[in-house]
Amino acid sequence: MTTTTATSPVLEATGVTMRFGGLTAVRGVDLTVNSGEIVGLIGPNGAGKTTFFNCLTGLYVPTEGRVAYKGTVLPPKPHLVTSAGIARTFQNIRLFANMTVLENVLVGRHTRTKEGLWSALLRGPGFRKAEAASRERAMELLEFIGLAHKADHLSRNLPYGEQRKLEIARAMASDPGLLLLDEPTAGMNPQETRATEELVFAIRDRGIAVLVIEHDMRFIFNLSDRVACLVQGQKLVEGTSDIVQNDERVIAAYLGTPFEGAPGSEEAAEVEAAEAAEAQGTTSTEGPAQ
Amino acid sequence: MATTETPKTTAQTTDTPRGLIALPQGIARVLIAVGAVGTIASTFMSWTYTSDFPGDLTYYGSPAGLQILALVAGALTLLYALTLWHVRGLNWLNPASAVAPVALAAASAFAVCWFSAIAIAVDLEGLIALDPGAYIAAIFSLAALLGALALPQPGDTPKSYLAKPENIPTAAKLPEWVERLVITAATAAALIVFAYGIGVDPDASETFLGYILLIVFGTWALFTAGLFDRISVLNARHKGFATSMAFLAAALFPFVENDEHNSNLGVNILVVATVALGLNIVVGLTGLLDLGYVAFLGVGAYAAALVSGSEFSRFSGVQFPFWAAMLTGMLASLVFGVLIGAPTLRLRGDYLAIVTLGFGEIFRITVNNLDGTSGPNITNGPNGISMIPDLEIFGFNFGTAHNIGSITIGRFANYFLLMLIITAIVVVVFTRAADSRIGRSWIAIREDETAATAMGINGFRVKLIAFALGASLAGLAGTVSAHVGYSVNPAPYQFAGSVPPNSAFLLAAVVLGGMGTVSGPILGATLLYLLPEKLGFLKEYQLFAFGIALVILMRFRPEGIIANRRRQLEFHDTGQLDIPESGLPDTTVGVTKAGA
Ligand SMILES: Nc1ncnc2c1ncn2[C@@H]1O[C@H](COP(=O)(O)OP(=O)(O)O)[C@@H](O)[C@H]1O
Ligand SMILES: [Mg+2]
């Protein structure tokens, strides 16, 4: 699906390693995301996907390796990463629960506006204009994800699926060049999952590259131009959906055959398979494909 | 499978709703009205024969003390009883024709009358101390309450007599000038209620308790009638007008309550209310638990005292004009705030609380020790800086009384008006800051600091701004308080104590009044300041009473007396819970069930 011709790298992560004491959660991962691309990141639970995201966004300072956005190396500070142009969502939804839907998105505009305390106190024409522009942009984004009619609701009162969408809108409010989605369809029903798929394509069509972590295999292989598979903190394979889908090591990791004698991967993979099967089971009437 | 649906028997609807007490509705209404009229009439009689009881309730023909309160409560009951008959024009007061406001108004009359009778009997020599008037008040107020409880029960449980009914119709839009008139009347009523409370003789604790009873039940009644919602809608519609009316009313206070002692109370209340509002930025908006906040008030007060020209000041030759002293106080607090904030704001939650608590105490101990023996002489140690001269702005001396027309405005009234301007400034700063990019980032930090930084907010910087702003507002209030009190000394600037401006008091004012709102901390500070002042017997148990009040409040109204819209939704999930989406895509489930 790589239709874009001029593919300049948006994200270049090289040799990213993250150790927690004795545990190496991410081990020397290289990953490149080009502009206009949707890249999928898969792997069993505990493979280090979220940790890798945290390293990219500065929530963790990687033990080794470097992360560059459009050619410049990023400092490991979350707010600087966001203002550089990488925005993210969280696996466990982290909205500002007691702010309204609109306010959540307005907070996302933070890096693209600069009115400080003084202009807030003096309320000059510049302040009003900036505030109006922010609101307009936020409403436009709510329109885009289909939550404009709930702009004044508290975000904590939204249904689960809409909370996930709102997190995406909030991230998009910072006008990112790259959007990191951590399991955007977790807990969604099949209809919502399909809608999310459309949403990710629409985001890409707005010129935003997307790196997405996902468990739902059908979702990820449909969506991604390229897929990387992380197992035990290491990148196992990377390539187009077809390649990764048929790679026997990936199948092994997901279906429970021991992989390179790595301890623990078996259990992880079993859990993973069971979960995937469960997810499948709810979508169709067929029995789980064991 | 059988798909026939047996329609639910709707037994409840065929039942005629009954009251707690079995009486025909018509009789119940008459009982309330008669009870209310009787209560009103009783206040014009003597309730006890000696003038020993506070307020002197011995006169025929002129209500006094608790009788005035009973009179108001009776009038309120009568008014709400009349709304049940749909008297024209009164419908606005009880739009839903609800039972709860009537019951609560009757309860207020009952509470005031019975409290008075019992207090007279207990204070004096038993039941013989009661005059017929007291018996009449007790009997008629009881009759009104019984009548109210005989009204058809609005909900499932007896508790519904106390609850605000749902779906109260919203008010039709009135002509512009009528709406403004309503706002004006409401503000005037609030001023009168407040001035009456402040004016209660400190020795007449009984009267003040009666006042509290009336306030609690009366406001509750108005609340269940939906009046507060209506007023707040009007206020929102005429924001500027309502705000100026509120300040005008506050400015009229020294004229209404023309008494130096009470004006002094008023200034002190304004000072603590203003500081509480500053603390609200730090605690309520940004979610930083600051247990040493009162130190900033102290820094401001000391800075102003040092440059006031007092002969006890280390710099006794220096006398800044007030605007310069004000800036000095603010700046000193700002610097102190940044100095404390910079190292501590990287900590989260409990750690920050402990460290600010420590820094607050460090301020007090340092000031105590800068006395020339333990350290360099700057603050004059525990003796503090006294004989701070009065302010003079544009030739207006705040220390002397001035005549405006026939009314004399005394020293404390002067300071009251000055402090009111400062309060207004702080209110404007608070509202403008809260509703802006920076205010949203404060709230975002409070909600989820990790997510906030991931949205590009520089947490440390934003928190430091909140901390510094809060500090300088407290410093600003401190500069005035130094002049009002003639002197400054380290004692009041501690974490917890029996005299108000201490950190625990301020924090309690914010939490009690309602975090994140403007009027909440002002109301909270007022209540917390006034209660021990007027209820002499509470003095020694003040902290204990605080604790009880907070526990009760957190149980029944965790969002504080005045709820931020957000906090209210947070705790009570009113209105907009997950309403089922129209057309749930659950058809498959239905099909499988039908097929099974
Ligand atoms: N802050 C941390 N401290 C210690 N271990 C961590 C931390 N964060 C993640 N880990 C560990 O790193 C591993 C990878 O976790 P994670 O990145 O959440 O996996 P995934 O998102 O792929 O399911 C897990 O074993 C987890 O326990
Ligand atoms: Mg994860």
Side-chain angles (χ1 to χ4, degrees):
Chain A
M1 276 197 60
T2 41
T3 46
T4 38
T5 43
T7 49
S8 58
V10 179
L11 176 81
E12 288 166 290
T14 33
V16 173
T17 300
M18 185 74 216
R19 285 193 201 95
F20 299 108
L23 175 88
T24 309
V26 177
R27 194 189 307 257
V29 173
D30 300 326
L31 189 75
T32 306
V33 179
N34 296 315
S35 64
E37 225 180 3
I38 299 175
V39 177
L41 189 59
I42 60 171
N45 264 338
K49 305 180 297 292
T50 300
T51 307
F52 181 61
F53 262 29
N54 287 344
C55 290
L56 295 184
T57 50
L59 285 176
Y60 290 160
V61 183
T63 323
E64 284 162 34
R66 49 166 231 150
V67 179
Y69 175 76
K70 290 188 176 164
T72 41
V73 177
L74 291 173
K77 284 260 169 38
H79 66 274
L80 296 179
V81 170
T82 309
S83 58
I86 300 181
R88 70 171 290 172
T89 65
F90 293 89
Q91 179 175 349
N92 315 311
I93 301 175
R94 301 190 81 145
L95 287 170
F96 306 121
N98 296 308
M99 297 177 92
T100 64
V101 168
L102 178 66
E103 284 169 334
N104 265 279
V105 184
L106 284 174
V107 171
R109 291 295 298 159
H110 190 87
T111 51
R112 301 297 167 236
T113 44
K114 50 184 182 302
E115 282 62 43
L117 182 62
W118 284 117
S119 79
L121 296 185
L122 299 176
R123 302 257 145 153
F127 175 85
R128 283 158 206 276
K129 220 154 107 195
E131 199 74 348
S134 291
R135 255 159 227 278
E136 197 180 322
R137 177 88 174 98
M139 280 313 291
E140 191 257 317
L141 280 169
L142 286 178
E143 218 58 84
F144 174 68
I145 57 156
L147 277 181
H149 61 292
K150 288 197 172 175
D152 289 329
H153 287 220
L154 279 196
S155 66
R156 71 197 330 262
N157 290 344
L158 293 184
Y160 198 72
E162 293 186 348
Q163 294 200 2
R164 287 229 176 263
K165 279 195 206 164
L166 177 56
E167 246 203 339
I168 294 175
R170 182 180 70 175
M172 287 176 68
S174 65
D175 295 337
L178 172 68
L179 187 61
L180 308 183
L181 303 177
D182 197 344
E183 304 199 15
T185 68
M188 283 188 174
N189 65 32
Q191 283 90 349
E192 287 173 323
T193 304
R194 228 168 296 139
T196 307
E197 202 175 305
E198 294 307 313
L199 183 62
V200 175
F201 281 130
I203 292 170
R204 195 263 313 270
D205 292 342
R206 290 184 154 212
I208 301 172
V210 183
L211 176 58
V212 51
I213 294 177
E214 198 38 82
H215 275 315
D216 188 328
M217 290 299 139
R218 198 145 28 117
F219 175 81
I220 204 88
F221 290 126
N222 265 344
L223 197 67
S224 312
D225 301 318
R226 216 145 36 80
V227 177
C229 179
L230 218 57
V231 175
Q232 297 245 303
Q234 275 174 300
K235 194 169 78 177
L236 206 58
V237 270
E238 185 185 334
T240 59
S241 295
D242 291 337
I243 295 175
V244 176
Q245 217 163 353
N246 299 318
D247 189 287
E248 58 193 29
R249 286 170 302 172
V250 174
I251 297 171
Y254 272 86
L255 292 186
T257 322
F259 147 69
E260 288 175 12
S265 72
E266 196 173 340
E267 289 93 320
E270 264 169 15
V271 171
E272 188 54 45
E275 272 182 9
E278 215 175 294
Q280 293 279 310
T282 54
T283 61
S284 62
T285 47
E286 294 162 25
Q290 288 272 4
Chain B
M1 295 295 281
T3 48
T4 48
E5 244 182 66
T6 45
K8 262 190 190 167
T9 47
T10 48
Q12 315 92 294
T13 50
T14 53
D15 241 4
T16 42
R18 295 259 312 265
L20 271 186
I21 296 165
L23 271 183
Q25 252 205 66
I27 295 183
R29 286 182 189 174
V30 172
L31 198 57
I32 303 170
V34 169
V37 172
T39 308
I40 294 172
S42 78
T43 64
F44 289 89
M45 299 182 205
S46 163
W47 282 14
T48 178
Y49 62 87
T50 78
S51 54
D52 290 351
F53 190 77
D56 194 356
L57 313 178
T58 60
Y59 293 103
Y60 277 86
S62 73
L66 283 163
Q67 293 172 323
I68 297 178
L69 300 170
L71 175 65
V72 173
L76 191 69
T77 313
L78 185 60
L79 201 61
Y80 270 96
L82 291 180
T83 63
L84 291 183
W85 272 293
H86 302 287
V87 174
R88 258 185 69 91
L90 290 183
N91 195 30
W92 201 88
L93 294 176
N94 189 4
S97 293
V99 167
V102 186
L104 283 161
S108 76
F110 174 77
V112 172
C113 292
W114 281 69
F115 167 75
S116 311
I118 292 170
I120 293 170
V122 170
D123 280 10
L124 306 176
E125 61 274 28
L127 289 179
I128 1 166
L130 296 176
D131 266 359
Y135 285 110
I136 292 177
I139 291 167
F140 277 91
S141 61
L142 179 64
L145 184 63
L146 293 179
L149 293 181
L151 291 173
Q153 185 169 311
D156 307 328
T157 56
K159 252 169 98 179
S160 55
Y161 280 107
L162 309 177
K164 187 164 90 167
E166 276 160 34
N167 44 43
I168 294 174
T170 46
K173 207 169 167 342
L174 298 166
E176 181 93 1
W177 65 272
V178 179
E179 292 196 341
R180 288 179 181 230
L181 202 64
V182 171
I183 294 175
T184 314
T187 318
L191 172 65
I192 291 168
V193 168
F194 177 71
Y196 182 86
I198 277 207
V200 172
D201 185 351
D203 294 330
S205 293
E206 289 84 353
T207 311
F208 198 77
L209 279 178
Y211 169 78
I212 296 287
L213 285 174
L214 175 59
I215 294 276
V216 167
F217 284 105
T219 45
W220 196 351
L222 298 183
F223 170 75
T224 54
L227 273 198
F228 284 122
D229 295 341
R230 290 199 156 186
I231 298 285
S232 57
V233 166
L234 289 186
N235 281 349
R237 210 178 285 157
H238 306 274
K239 217 171 183 177
F241 180 74
T243 317
S244 12
M245 280 318 286
F247 275 102
L248 186 66
L252 283 177
F253 167 73
F255 300 91
V256 175
E257 192 52 61
N258 199 355
D259 170 294
E260 275 298 89
H261 175 73
N262 292 338
S263 295
N264 187 10
L265 263 183
V267 190
N268 290 341
I269 288 175
L270 274 187
V271 170
V272 287
T274 310
V275 179
L277 199 53
L279 178 61
N280 201 15
I281 295 179
V282 180
V283 174
L285 292 182
T286 322
L288 306 169
L289 186 51
D290 184 350
L291 297 183
Y293 188 71
V294 81
F296 300 124
L297 179 71
V299 172
Y302 264 94
L306 284 172
V307 299
S308 66
S310 156
E311 53 187 282
F312 290 93
S313 157
R314 183 78 175 73
F315 318 105
S316 54
V318 186
Q319 182 166 13
F320 281 15
F322 182 61
W323 63 265
M326 232 165 57
L327 285 184
T328 313
M330 275 178 82
L331 207 69
S333 285
L334 179 83
V335 170
F336 193 65
V338 172
L339 280 182
I340 292 179
T344 56
L345 286 176
R346 297 181 198 275
L347 302 172
R348 286 193 187 189
D350 306 346
Y351 300 105
L352 179 72
I354 300 293
V355 172
T356 50
L357 175 65
F359 269 108
E361 291 297 293
I362 286 173
F363 166 76
R364 187 173 57 86
I365 293 164
T366 308
V367 167
N368 249 322
N369 284 315
L370 295 179
D371 58 356
T373 44
S374 312
N377 183 9
I378 296 176
T379 61
N380 209 14
N383 296 327
I385 300 166
S386 48
M387 288 179 66
I388 297 173
D390 277 307
L391 288 173
E392 197 168 315
I393 302 175
F394 300 128
F396 183 91
N397 188 329
F398 280 73
T400 55
H402 296 262
N403 290 319
I404 299 176
S406 60
I407 300 173
T408 308
I409 292 296
R411 177 178 187 272
F412 288 111
N414 293 333
Y415 280 114
F416 180 89
L417 295 174
L418 175 67
M419 195 56 219
L420 189 63
I421 296 173
I422 306 264
T423 308
I425 292 173
V426 174
V427 167
V428 169
V429 167
F430 181 92
T431 44
R432 291 198 163 181
D435 177 30
S436 73
R437 171 175 175 268
I438 191 95
R440 283 190 297 268
S441 58
W442 289 337
I443 299 171
I445 295 258
R446 181 191 76 195
E447 292 293 313
D448 186 334
E449 190 164 347
T450 304
T453 54
M455 286 305 113
I457 293 168
N458 183 343
F460 175 68
R461 190 189 139 91
V462 168
K463 284 194 283 185
L464 193 60
I465 292 176
F467 212 69
L469 180 65
S472 33
L473 295 181
L476 178 64
T479 56
V480 179
S481 82
H483 286 274
V484 175
Y486 300 107
S487 67
V488 290
N489 68 74
Y493 306 111
Q494 55 188 345
F495 172 65
S498 50
V499 201
N502 54 66
S503 296
F505 174 92
L506 295 171
L507 212 55
V510 171
V511 174
L512 190 88
M515 287 207 269
T517 62
V518 174
S519 36
I522 295 179
L523 183 69
T526 308
L527 282 179
L528 289 182
Y529 196 96
L530 216 49
L531 287 179
E533 195 70 36
K534 296 294 180 188
L535 302 176
F537 63 89
L538 257 184
K539 275 255 155 66
E540 289 169 28
Y541 304 101
Q542 211 198 80
L543 283 173
F544 179 65
F546 262 27
I548 302 247
L550 277 177
V551 168
I552 292 175
L553 192 85
M554 287 303 109
R555 168 63 186 79
F556 292 104
R557 204 170 158 81
E559 70 272 35
I561 298 172
I562 297 194
N564 186 329
R565 188 176 51 92
R566 256 186 220 114
R567 308 266 306 166
Q568 179 142 37
L569 290 169
E570 176 180 354
F571 286 111
H572 296 297
D573 284 332
T574 34
Q576 38 163 281
L577 256 187
D578 308 348
I579 308 146
E581 298 283 331
S582 53
L584 269 177
D586 269 355
T587 41
T588 47
V589 180
V591 168
T592 30
K593 268 195 185 154

